Amino acid sequence: MIARFSPAALGYAGGVILLLLAPAVIYPVLIMKVLCFALFACAFNLLLGYTGLLSFGHAVFLGAAAYITGHVLKVWEWPTLAGLLAGTLVAGALGWVIGSLAIRRQGIYFAMVTLALSQMVYFFFLQAHFTGGEDGLQGVPRGDLFGLDLAQDQNLYYVVVAIFVAAFWLIHRTIHSPFGQILKAIRENEPRAISLGYDVAKYKLLAFALSATLAGLAGATKTVVFKFATLTDAHWHTSGEVVLMTLLGGMGTVFGPVVGSSVIVTLQNELADKVGSLVTVIMGAIFVICVLAFRRGIVGEGIALYRRMIGQKNGR
Amino acid sequence: MTDFFGVPLPALFGQLVLGLVNGSFYAVLSLGLAVIFGMLNIINFAHGALYMMGAMLAWILLEYLGLGYWWSLLLAPVGVGAIGIVIERALLQWLYKLDHLYGLLLTFGLALIIEGFFRHLYGVAGQPYSIPDELAGAINLGFMFLPKYRAWIIVASLTVCLGTWFMIEKTRLGAYLRAATENPALTQAFGINVPLMVMLTYGFGVGLAGFAGVLAAPATQPGPLMGSNLIITVFAVVVIGGMGSILGSVFTGLGLGLIEGLAKVFYPEISATVVFIIMAIILMFRPAGLFGREK
Amino acid sequence: MKKKYIALAVLAALSTAAQAQISDKTVKIGVLTDMSGAYSDIAGQGTVEATKMAIEDFKAREKPDFAVEMVAADHQNKGDVASNKAREWFDREKVDVITELVTTSTALAVMKVAKEKNKLVLISGAASTRVTNEDCNDVTVHWTYDTYAVSNGTARAVVQQGGKSWFFITADYAFGHSLEKDASEVVTQAGGKVLGSARHPFPGSDFSSFLLKAQSSGAQVIGLANAGTDTMTSIKQASEFGITPKQSLAGLLMFISDIHALGLKTTQGMYLTDGFYWDLNKETREWSKRYFDRQKKMPTMVQAGMYSAVMHYLKAVKATGTDDTQKVMAWMKKTPINDFFAKNGRIRDDGRMIHDMYLVQVKKPEESKYAWDYYNIRQTIPADQAFQPLAASRCPLVKK
């Protein structure tokens, strides 16, 4: 019976089972944090790895959704599902606006423009009253979902897993769809894609908006988990972190961002108390090493290794 | 006391001077970025961290070697430039054949390393660094109090910018640099050592940042975060000015500093974002920047 | 079937018996402070040291039958870092009480987590009166001082000296807003006038444009509603712009560590309200000397207050025989505090620990006879006058 499913499908099923069992051995709040950032990185990878666009201000979508969700849950007392949706959709809308401006430039300039535009929104967050500025938005209620009281970490955990699996599936389908193929074509050879008649600008914008929306979902979920939204969520350091997670894990691979974010979040968590500011140095060093010698990332190198091994086997 | 649109003159002029001071920093830093980008095609994200390093070096020279401000003005930029050369040789040169984005990522990583390192050693708060006695005090101009040190910042920055412009446009070394930027292969064929030019350019560019750091040290207290607060605004300045011309970067930097100063007087809430708003507008109507050429 | 019920009954009995004991026979204290930022000198490592001293003294004098452990971490003045750390400490590390929490946003964040998990919070460093008003809860004690207490003393004294018109330079977060608000009320009550304010990002590095605004307002007094390195930099830059001595500066929240860093020449004559002075009497001198031997600096009120709070807590645990939050808190509230730090100290219903505060004036350089001899005590403000009266409290826990 197992043989009817491809190795990939079995692998995914195994992964989900592992996730469901994990709280028995690992602190669930840590795993939830990893899942949120993994989703953020997967959304980001859609743009970088598959469309070839480096957005250096992606944290603004994480932060915008975090604040919106926080606000509607705490101040307007909306139900949790509505709050999550609100944050996600606002992030998507913001993505549409920023994306339209940014795609007017290519390559490096695109990155700088996204950075500067997101910085503008960051300063807005800093000064707006509803965000609480430096204090942040605290005491966001988790509420409940379909009768489950989310104040219990255990219940919330399964909801977060469900959200992650659903979003991951969505990204997976997108990548393997005709839409995804066109995105890859744009990454490989944009002039060619144009000459083939595709409205490249429209596709880039769509990819940007989709990426922003899913990043928003990650931010909204994070607010519910930590009951908190702060400026850190929208700061450009966080934008840099998600680039690192994707690069380290492997750009343009499906699993790369998940691996990368798991490594980075766990590393930061474990090292923060022990080495203080050296964590930043370590992050920087990983960046430098990845760019110089490890550009395919963990999963990318893994796949290359696997292919070499099969090649060797067949060649013999 | 005369008023200007409801704002007393001393306040207005004071903020304009402060705006010019900030603008001077923008000018020197965006100049360095533009020079590096022109030659290496790399956006040097580490520029802010190296600016900070210049300031910290000034403090370190004072704290551990007893060398004062005037020594630091000379030694710190050289020190930062030397470190820049090491960075270029050890790390950056492998990236020239790759997508430009990798340069941005590598220098971002460098910025994290440098900033994290100094934070680890010195915490987050700034270190005390006094204004040198020769430049202490203020001149009472009647319509405003002009602190001597702030005036010095403006003068020193402009001198350095003009000096750089002169060197690049009017000297032979500058001619070689410009040639190497336009057409490296051909320039190399003429017997000019292009990799050496590249190395020196990066060293010089970050040396400018180090110089700006020393200038900033007595005014804003050397601290590990001073670069990261500034660098994004400088990026916006560079996008607005365009990366084609030196005088363009200088003019844009000063101009934006003035606009920020005016904003602080009339509409303070917008002062942090006005640069980015202008950038967004420029992007819509003149994507290459005010003085840039579409590359 | 009967066996099952007996088993359940036994289990129930055992578990209630266990509740009257200290879980794991260990009391774990978490010190969450700013180790490397703007407030690291005011609080920071010094508070960790003070906690260690309290634990050592407690073990030596009281010989408890339970173990006392301590963990410490840096919250970097960020609310989210503090909140996550607190959650992790409560969930995973079995920490019973979190202490210190300089920077109001971290305090407010951790108070919420502690309420959720039913654990205690002892605040020494945070300043805002929100802790005992809008955000009050029954698991928190605000030990050392607050923005009302310091502005009440200082602002009132300055207005009485003739500084009638004020302009504030304020750190743009909960603490700064609080301090500005409380000080403004005192100024207006005392017959002065507030001309305006300028808010600066926290932490700040360049105050020049805000100082310029203050200068052009023409106010006699520039109130610095900030603390730590922000205050020190503001004072330094003010002289650069020729603001002093024409206008005077009022550091609304200053600590002896600031005076030490700035020097008497710059700060002489300034008024400040402090909760502790090392040179007050024999008891304070004795304790401070022990602290000085470890840290090589004299303690600020935050650091001294930390010792006092931890000691009171440990005594409560021993007296009640449990680390149950509500029982320990009840003992702490009904027991007065009389140690080297607090005279006539007691914890009110809103969580505020009230004790005498001191209005001091910084000595002139020639008046200072030995190291750290900085203060002339001008007035001892008794506990029930120093802090916001309970009747004016906006805390829902206070019965009106």
Side-chain angles (χ1 to χ4, degrees):
Chain A
M1 209 259 286
I2 304 263
R4 277 210 276 151
F5 296 96
S6 67
L10 284 177
Y12 287 139
V16 175
I17 294 178
L18 268 180
L19 264 183
L20 291 172
L21 296 175
V25 284
I26 312 177
Y27 182 40
V29 178
L30 179 60
I31 311 181
M32 287 196 273
K33 185 174 183 191
V34 169
L35 287 178
C36 287
F37 276 99
L39 177 55
F40 184 35
C42 286
F44 179 77
N45 189 31
L46 196 60
L47 206 55
L48 177 63
Y50 288 98
T51 321
L53 293 172
L54 172 64
S55 155
F56 224 105
H58 235 59
V60 74
F61 306 120
L62 190 79
Y67 277 125
I68 296 291
T69 301
H71 185 81
V72 308
L73 286 181
K74 179 178 177 191
V75 179
W76 293 349
E77 294 177 24
W78 281 14
T80 309
L81 191 58
L84 285 172
L85 270 172
T88 309
L89 291 174
V90 170
L94 189 61
W96 188 271
V97 172
I98 291 184
S100 334
L101 273 174
I103 57 177
R104 286 161 167 266
R105 302 289 276 151
Q106 322 272 41
I108 280 279
Y109 288 99
F110 174 83
M112 303 237 297
V113 167
T114 54
L115 179 56
L117 286 176
S118 66
Q119 191 69 349
M120 204 163 84
V121 180
Y122 173 86
F123 277 119
F124 168 71
F125 287 152
L126 178 58
Q127 292 177 343
H129 283 293
F130 85 97
T131 62
E134 289 286 349
D135 303 323
L137 202 60
Q138 300 178 11
V140 177
R142 282 185 182 167
D144 51 60
L145 197 64
F146 306 132
L148 275 177
D149 176 22
L150 295 179
Q152 305 287 343
D153 281 345
Q154 285 287 73
N155 292 345
L156 182 60
Y157 179 78
Y158 293 114
V159 171
V160 172
V161 170
I163 291 177
F164 176 76
V165 170
F168 187 81
W169 176 86
L170 178 65
I171 293 177
H172 192 262
R173 288 305 313 267
T174 308
I175 292 171
H176 292 107
S177 71
F179 176 71
Q181 300 287 38
I182 299 175
L183 293 183
K184 275 184 243 175
I186 295 176
R187 182 195 71 198
E188 297 289 316
N189 194 333
E190 195 175 320
R192 197 108 189 280
I194 299 177
S195 71
L196 283 171
Y198 289 112
D199 184 353
V200 161
K202 192 182 86 177
Y203 280 97
K204 280 188 188 174
L205 183 55
L206 275 172
F208 198 93
L210 181 60
S211 174
T213 311
L214 291 170
L217 180 59
T221 312
K222 196 163 84 63
T223 298
V224 174
V225 172
F226 289 109
K227 312 178 66 159
F228 215 112
T230 61
L231 288 172
T232 313
D233 297 334
H235 196 270
W236 58 270
H237 265 178
T238 309
S239 294
E241 264 174 34
V242 75
V243 178
L244 180 60
M245 291 176 194
T246 311
L247 183 62
L248 176 65
M251 301 191 292
T253 66
V254 178
F255 258 113
V258 179
V259 171
S261 52
S262 310
V263 170
I264 298 289
V265 172
T266 316
L267 210 64
Q268 282 178 339
N269 214 59
E270 296 307 307
L271 290 181
D273 288 335
K274 301 185 180 66
V275 298
S277 296
L278 283 180
V279 174
T280 317
V281 178
I282 295 174
M283 295 293 135
I286 296 178
F287 239 122
V288 172
I289 295 171
C290 278
V291 168
L292 283 178
F294 202 62
R295 276 186 291 278
R296 285 184 287 205
I298 298 175
V299 174
E301 290 290 336
I303 293 178
L305 190 68
Y306 177 67
R307 289 209 180 117
R308 264 206 308 276
M309 285 187 343
I310 307 188
Q312 278 180 348
K313 253 202 270 182
N314 290 343
R316 206 118 40 99
Chain B
M1 212 190 297
T2 36
D3 268 25
F4 183 78
F5 283 105
V7 177
L9 266 184
L12 181 64
F13 279 114
Q15 296 287 9
L16 282 180
V17 169
L18 284 183
L20 268 182
V21 171
N22 282 340
S24 308
F25 285 121
Y26 293 157
V28 177
L29 289 172
S30 61
L31 181 56
L33 273 178
V35 165
I36 293 175
F37 183 75
M39 192 63 159
L40 284 78
N41 255 304
I42 286 184
I43 300 288
N44 186 28
F45 217 110
H47 218 66
L50 292 163
Y51 154 81
M52 178 269 287
M53 200 191 270
M56 294 302 289
L57 268 180
W59 177 78
I60 288 173
L61 284 173
L62 181 64
E63 183 81 0
Y64 299 115
L65 291 178
L67 293 172
Y69 178 77
W70 301 103
W71 279 111
S72 297
L73 214 49
L74 202 61
L75 294 174
V78 170
V80 174
I83 293 175
I85 289 179
V86 170
I87 292 175
E88 198 275 331
R89 284 289 91 194
L91 301 172
L92 288 177
Q93 66 161 318
W94 311 113
L95 299 182
Y96 299 145
K97 301 215 171 61
L98 297 176
D99 193 320
H100 298 333
L101 294 179
Y102 285 113
L104 178 63
L105 294 179
L106 184 107
T107 51
F108 181 81
L110 273 177
L112 288 180
I113 293 178
I114 297 173
E115 195 183 289
F117 177 68
F118 276 100
R119 256 176 63 186
H120 178 73
L121 289 179
Y122 296 111
V124 173
Q127 306 295 338
Y129 194 85
S130 327
I131 299 179
D133 293 325
E134 299 86 4
L135 293 170
I139 316 169
N140 191 343
L141 294 175
F143 57 84
M144 70 165 289
F145 245 98
L146 180 63
K148 281 193 211 158
Y149 191 74
R150 311 268 164 169
W152 160 250
I153 291 179
I154 301 175
V155 167
S157 313
L158 281 179
T159 312
V160 164
C161 288
L162 281 174
T164 307
W165 171 83
F166 185 82
M167 187 200 72
I168 293 185
E169 293 292 322
K170 302 285 179 198
T171 66
R172 188 185 291 197
L173 178 62
Y176 292 162
L177 266 165
R178 280 179 286 130
T181 310
E182 292 260 358
N183 196 332
L186 197 56
T187 316
Q188 181 85 31
F190 272 104
I192 295 174
N193 189 344
V194 171
L196 181 68
M197 298 268 102
V198 171
M199 187 181 87
L200 288 178
T201 305
Y202 190 77
F204 178 73
V206 304
L208 279 178
F211 178 78
V214 179
L215 278 185
T220 50
Q221 315 303 306
L225 292 184
M226 58 194 283
S228 55
N229 292 340
L230 197 50
I231 189 73
I232 313 276
T233 314
V234 177
F235 277 172
V237 169
V238 169
V239 172
I240 294 173
M243 294 200 255
S245 98
I246 292 179
L247 286 184
S249 323
V250 175
F251 182 74
T252 317
L254 286 173
L256 285 168
L258 275 174
I259 294 180
E260 248 186 13
L262 279 174
K264 282 197 185 131
V265 176
F266 292 111
Y267 193 5
E269 289 78 15
I270 216 181
S271 58
T273 43
V274 69
V275 179
F276 301 109
I277 295 175
I278 295 179
M279 188 204 75
I281 297 174
I282 296 279
L283 274 173
M284 287 201 285
F285 297 111
R286 202 187 147 83
L290 289 174
F291 298 93
R293 290 164 255 132
E294 190 71 56
K295 225 176 176 150
Chain C
M1 209 43 176
K2 217 174 172 191
K3 262 201 220 166
K4 198 165 160 205
Y5 286 124
I6 295 179
L8 277 173
V10 170
L11 263 174
L14 278 177
S15 57
T16 35
Q19 268 177 358
Q21 289 167 1
I22 294 160
S23 44
D24 313 323
K25 287 231 153 249
T26 309
V27 167
K28 210 161 182 187
I29 301 174
V31 182
L32 195 51
T33 180
D34 172 18
M35 300 279 203
S36 59
Y39 301 146
S40 49
D41 281 336
I42 300 172
Q45 189 59 34
T47 54
V48 176
E49 212 50 54
T51 308
K52 280 195 203 156
M53 282 171 72
I55 296 176
E56 283 163 22
D57 289 354
F58 176 76
K59 283 187 181 163
R61 277 181 228 153
E62 309 277 341
K63 305 211 199 314
D65 61 351
F66 53 87
V68 183
E69 287 173 13
M70 184 195 80
V71 285
D74 182 359
H75 59 46
Q76 301 171 41
N77 295 325
K78 293 199 183 129
D80 51 345
V81 176
S83 172
N84 292 343
K85 199 62 188 164
R87 197 176 286 279
E88 207 186 292
W89 270 353
F90 288 143
D91 284 342
R92 278 171 105 178
E93 306 269 343
K94 306 209 215 318
V95 168
D96 298 297
V97 57
I98 292 188
T99 64
E100 216 294 275
L101 296 169
V102 66
T103 305
T104 302
S105 29
T106 65
L108 295 177
V110 172
M111 279 166 69
K112 295 198 172 66
V113 179
K115 180 74 187 137
E116 204 188 297
K117 311 268 172 193
N118 194 29
K119 303 268 182 165
L120 279 167
V121 178
L122 299 172
I123 296 176
S124 187
S128 170
T129 38
R130 274 176 64 179
V131 171
T132 48
N133 280 281
E134 294 91 349
D135 292 86
C136 72
N137 62 32
D138 61 356
V139 298
T140 304
V141 181
H142 198 178
W143 198 268
T144 306
Y145 72 103
D146 60 30
T147 49
Y148 182 96
V150 294
S151 38
N152 195 17
T154 311
R156 198 176 297 278
V158 172
V159 174
Q160 277 161 4
Q161 292 284 321
K164 296 252 183 286
S165 58
W166 284 63
F167 187 94
F168 288 101
I169 293 186
T170 308
D172 196 6
Y173 74 107
F175 152 66
H177 303 162
S178 222
L179 190 51
E180 185 194 315
K181 179 165 162 297
D182 288 337
S184 299
E185 276 170 18
V186 173
V187 166
T188 352
Q189 260 176 34
K193 205 163 106 86
V194 177
L195 298 179
S197 77
R199 296 196 165 164
H200 70 78
F202 167 72
S205 58
D206 187 9
F207 298 90
S208 23
S209 60
F210 311 105
L211 286 169
L212 269 190
K213 282 218 185 81
Q215 193 176 37
S216 62
S217 75
Q220 287 164 306
V221 183
I222 300 179
L224 298 174
N226 53 25
T229 46
D230 285 349
T231 304
M232 295 204 283
T233 313
S234 309
I235 294 179
K236 272 192 271 194
Q237 290 181 342
S239 70
E240 211 191 300
F241 279 86
I243 288 177
T244 44
K246 218 165 65 150
Q247 289 164 295
S248 59
L249 295 171
L252 289 168
L253 180 53
M254 293 192 72
F255 299 83
I256 199 166
S257 47
D258 301 327
I259 311 293
H260 185 75
L262 286 168
L264 288 178
K265 205 160 121 239
T266 316
T267 55
Q268 58 184 306
M270 282 181 93
Y271 281 105
L272 57 120
T273 310
D274 211 325
F276 177 78
Y277 183 41
W278 70 273
D279 205 11
L280 202 57
N281 55 46
K282 185 159 161 293
E283 261 186 286
T284 61
R285 274 189 284 270
E286 227 176 76
W287 186 86
S288 304
K289 193 169 169 314
R290 282 176 57 207
Y291 177 90
F292 187 87
D293 289 334
R294 292 169 173 239
Q295 279 290 104
K296 304 290 170 267
K297 297 181 215 180
M298 280 304 176
T300 64
M301 63 170 160
V302 177
Q303 291 148 348
M306 190 80 269
Y307 178 101
S308 171
V310 172
M311 184 60 94
H312 195 65
Y313 169 78
L314 288 172
K315 287 191 186 155
V317 174
K318 178 158 189 282
T320 56
T322 171
D323 54 6
D324 171 78
T325 298
Q326 297 301 330
K327 294 207 177 79
V328 170
M329 181 60 100
W331 187 94
M332 292 207 293
K333 279 188 173 159
K334 77 169 201 283
T335 315
I337 297 120
N338 266 304
D339 57 14
F340 75 95
F341 173 77
K343 295 284 168 241
N344 314 311
R346 65 177 179 88
I347 304 173
R348 303 191 312 202
D349 283 336
D350 57 355
R352 177 71 251 166
M353 199 284 268
I354 57 172
H355 60 96
D356 296 343
M357 297 283 291
Y358 309 99
L359 176 67
V360 316
Q361 194 175 24
V362 180
K363 287 187 171 177
K364 301 202 205 20
E366 48 274 18
E367 284 178 299
S368 169
K369 300 289 176 239
Y370 40 88
W372 295 87
D373 176 24
Y374 296 147
Y375 290 171
N376 279 324
I377 312 280
R378 293 295 180 219
Q379 197 194 348
T380 301
I381 311 174
D384 47 20
Q385 284 169 35
F387 293 90
Q388 183 190 40
L390 256 185
S393 177
R394 301 179 288 282
C395 173
L397 292 174
V398 173
K399 311 169 213 14
K400 293 270 172 63

